[in-house]
Amino acid sequence: MASVRQLNPKAEVLGRGAACFMNVNAAKGLYDVMKTNLGPKGTIKMLVGGAGDIKLTKDGNVLLREMQITNPTAVMIARTAVAQDEVTGDGTTTMVILIGELMKQAERYIADGLHPRIIAEGYEIAKKDLLEFLDGFKEAIDPSDRETLRCVARTALRTKLREGLADQLTDIVVDAVMTINKADQPLDLYMVEIMHMRHKLDTDTRLIRGLVLDHGSRHPDMPKRLENCHVLNCNISLEYEKSEVNAGFFYSSAEQREKLVAAERAVVDDKVQRIIDLKKQVCADGSSFAVINQKGIDPASLDLLAKEGILALRRAKRRNAERLQLATGGFTVNSVEELSAECLGHAGLVYEHVLGEDKFTFVEDVRHPHSCTILIKGPNDYTIAQIKDAVRDGLRAVKNTIEDAAVVPGAGAFEVAAAHHLRTVTVKKVEGRTKLGIEAFAEALLGLPKILAENSGYDPQDTIIALQDEAERGGCVGLDVSSGEPADPHLSGVLDNFIVKRQILQSAPIVASQLLLVDEVLRAGMNMRRQ
């Protein structure tokens, strides 16, 4: 510390004891904020913005992103947890709690004079052994088994939403992922469009095996509802465009100007006429026709299409064009020369829904849907935001299960089994004071089922003792949050993602060890207590 003072007299330095105290306190502070959110019985946080806007959430990722955290240690832990969400889609709260527990347990031993390096070595040995144990503890599943996917999705959603709504969204989320899932191809969750309408109740949220576009037709005479509809998905400009090169046109009379205008108009009219001719060709049997264009359609072209009974939408998003192609069939057309009956998709029903000043176009009853839309409804913005965050996590949970082809029993079952393994198997492989680091890790793991019990209104000590007694008898045992008794998580369908558990075990001990090994905190050049 003295050497730093010699280099820079204005440097602010925290010595070893103060640095460790700061890191442990920061981890415990974040831990205390997040622990009440864990599990299906966790409480909800209300975030209030500067403009008075409200957000209600239990999602650890949302909390960590939107809370104003200034402590550098807490910021580091929060970034680790947010990275966990970006990689796996879940596990942010668990990550913060496990890091906090590891720091709490280490503090006890450091206070008794044990060097942080010994604890860090114990954590590293425990981490390696637990990753091997997790590979043996996971259960292989059939990725096409719908009931298993429902269990995983329900477990993820119940930690974010009330039980009734979570159970309703479970089927929606599983059906959405199974709709877009193709054999031997990676899952692209962007093919599930998440659309929201501030309308009716949250229980009116539904899955649409098709597409919902957030705009409608731009002509009052166009049909509002079409059945047995051919859908043209195109990327053709149906409006006058200026030439790409800088060109000038000169005329000497009004007649020449009229000819010039007519020639410009004829180019666009010819494109529109080709679309109308295709419509007449394919709709001879009485079916209807819709055009969904990524580029613009000018009023004159809209009028021509409306006279033929064609529903036309302009400036559709490129992502929606991709989804439309997967949902209705056919392919995107980039020039009128490519127009043919083979390029058309098909939808049983296309209709427009007006909500206040907003228009929505629904494309439903498609033949081979490989894209779909989750239409979220709610009476207010914070309900919609809460559901939207939960749906994203649910989709990621189902995707992870399909890709891993494995699950891990939930309800604290893995943590209890892992702590038992550390205390009975791992600790016998090492000698000396490193055993204390392994013991601290085992105690930290038991902190998760303790918090689950506490949040559910049960005594954490009684619960942990009962869980440990059951674990010693063998078998898989977790906490039943409705009764507070040890139970087999398979019977209640509580299953977690394998990759989430693995990522937590890999990241949490590393962050905790790094924070424990900090012996000085330096802020050079500027005094924090500047007057």
Side-chain angles (χ1 to χ4, degrees), residues 251-266:
Y251 47 86
S252 56
S253 65
E255 289 79 10
Q256 287 180 348
R257 182 184 177 282
E258 290 298 325
K259 283 183 181 178
L260 175 63
V261 172
E264 287 176 344
R265 184 70 239 163

Side-chain angles (χ1 to χ4, degrees), residues 325-351:
Q325 190 170 315
L326 288 169
T328 61
F331 56 86
T332 304
V333 175
N334 292 304
S335 70
V336 288
E337 285 75 23
E338 297 176 32
L339 288 175
S340 66
E342 289 73 33
C343 72
L344 298 176
H346 182 274
L349 180 63
V350 178
Y351 64 96

Side-chain angles (χ1 to χ4, degrees), residues 16 20 24 28 101-120 122-123 423 427 432-445 516:
R16 176 179 163 186
C20 185
V24 170
K28 283 162 67 176
E101 284 283 355
L102 289 168
M103 298 292 282
K104 272 174 66 181
Q105 299 304 325
E107 184 188 26
R108 288 171 45 209
Y109 290 104
I110 291 170
D112 291 339
L114 188 65
H115 196 281
R117 172 60 68 185
I118 304 295
I119 299 173
Y123 283 178
R423 285 173 168 159
V427 80
R433 292 184 298 171
T434 310
K435 289 184 177 183
L436 296 175
I438 295 171
E439 179 64 33
F441 202 119
E443 193 62 36
L445 283 172
L516 289 172

Side-chain angles (χ1 to χ4, degrees), residues 165 168-169 172 195 201-207 374-378 387 391:
L165 180 59
Q168 180 190 341
L169 289 175
I172 291 173
M195 185 70 66
L201 300 175
D202 50 8
T203 49
D204 293 310
T205 298
R206 65 190 180 103
L207 174 70
I374 296 176
L375 183 62
I376 296 171
K377 293 188 179 184
I387 296 172
V391 164

Side-chain angles (χ1 to χ4, degrees), residues 249-313:
F249 296 95
F250 301 95
Y251 47 86
S252 56
S253 65
E255 289 79 10
Q256 287 180 348
R257 182 184 177 282
E258 290 298 325
K259 283 183 181 178
L260 175 63
V261 172
E264 287 176 344
R265 184 70 239 163
V267 174
V268 179
D269 287 350
D270 180 56
K271 293 178 184 177
V272 175
Q273 190 57 47
R274 291 199 185 196
I275 293 172
I276 292 170
D277 292 343
L278 178 63
K279 184 256 182 185
K280 290 177 178 176
Q281 176 191 334
V282 298
C283 295
D285 57 354
S287 54
S288 53
F289 199 87
V291 176
I292 297 176
N293 192 13
Q294 293 179 50
K295 291 184 178 174
I297 307 176
D298 62 21
S301 301
L302 285 171
D303 194 52
L304 287 171
L305 293 170
K307 286 175 181 174
E308 294 295 330
I310 297 173
L311 173 65
L313 277 71

Side-chain angles (χ1 to χ4, degrees), residues 183-414:
D184 305 323
Q185 286 190 26
L187 267 170
D188 182 8
L189 290 182
Y190 283 108
M191 290 302 106
V192 179
E193 167 83 334
I194 297 177
M195 185 70 66
H196 66 270
M197 293 171 69
R198 192 169 166 181
H199 183 49
K200 294 189 177 179
L201 300 175
D202 50 8
T203 49
D204 293 310
T205 298
R206 65 190 180 103
L207 174 70
I208 293 167
R209 296 178 192 276
L211 201 64
V212 180
L213 302 162
D214 56 358
H215 54 283
S217 62
R218 290 289 182 268
H219 195 286
D221 295 337
M222 281 186 173
K224 305 298 181 193
R225 182 183 178 90
L226 299 173
E227 294 181 4
N228 188 18
C229 183
H230 297 282
V231 180
L232 173 61
N233 182 8
C234 59
N235 185 23
I236 303 169
S237 177
L238 296 178
E239 59 185 348
Y240 169 69
E241 290 182 337
K242 291 182 179 178
S243 58
E244 291 183 12
V245 293
N246 199 9
F249 296 95
F250 301 95
Y251 47 86
S252 56
S253 65
E255 289 79 10
Q256 287 180 348
R257 182 184 177 282
E258 290 298 325
K259 283 183 181 178
L260 175 63
V261 172
E264 287 176 344
R265 184 70 239 163
V267 174
V268 179
D269 287 350
D270 180 56
K271 293 178 184 177
V272 175
Q273 190 57 47
R274 291 199 185 196
I275 293 172
I276 292 170
D277 292 343
L278 178 63
K279 184 256 182 185
K280 290 177 178 176
Q281 176 191 334
V282 298
C283 295
D285 57 354
S287 54
S288 53
F289 199 87
V291 176
I292 297 176
N293 192 13
Q294 293 179 50
K295 291 184 178 174
I297 307 176
D298 62 21
S301 301
L302 285 171
D303 194 52
L304 287 171
L305 293 170
K307 286 175 181 174
E308 294 295 330
I310 297 173
L311 173 65
L313 277 71
R314 63 186 181 189
R315 307 203 191 285
K317 291 183 285 190
R318 187 178 62 82
R319 270 289 184 191
N320 278 342
E322 290 177 30
R323 295 184 184 112
L324 190 71
Q325 190 170 315
L326 288 169
T328 61
F331 56 86
T332 304
V333 175
N334 292 304
S335 70
V336 288
E337 285 75 23
E338 297 176 32
L339 288 175
S340 66
E342 289 73 33
C343 72
L344 298 176
H346 182 274
L349 180 63
V350 178
Y351 64 96
E352 194 176 283
H353 180 87
V354 180
L355 183 65
E357 294 183 0
D358 298 323
K359 287 184 179 180
F360 296 87
T361 303
F362 289 70
V363 181
E364 291 189 46
D365 192 17
V366 294
R367 285 175 180 167
H368 307 292
H370 289 296
S371 177
C372 57
T373 301
I374 296 176
L375 183 62
I376 296 171
K377 293 188 179 184
N380 45 53
D381 290 336
Y382 49 83
T383 302
I384 291 169
Q386 192 178 358
I387 296 172
K388 195 183 283 189
D389 292 333
V391 164
R392 285 205 178 96
D393 286 357
L395 290 170
R396 290 289 294 275
V398 178
K399 177 178 183 277
N400 290 339
T401 308
I402 291 172
E403 290 177 346
D404 295 339
V407 292
V408 177
F414 170 72

Side-chain angles (χ1 to χ4, degrees), residues 40-53:
K41 302 277 186 175
T43 51
I44 295 175
K45 296 281 190 291
M46 180 187 286
L47 299 172
V48 183
D53 48 318

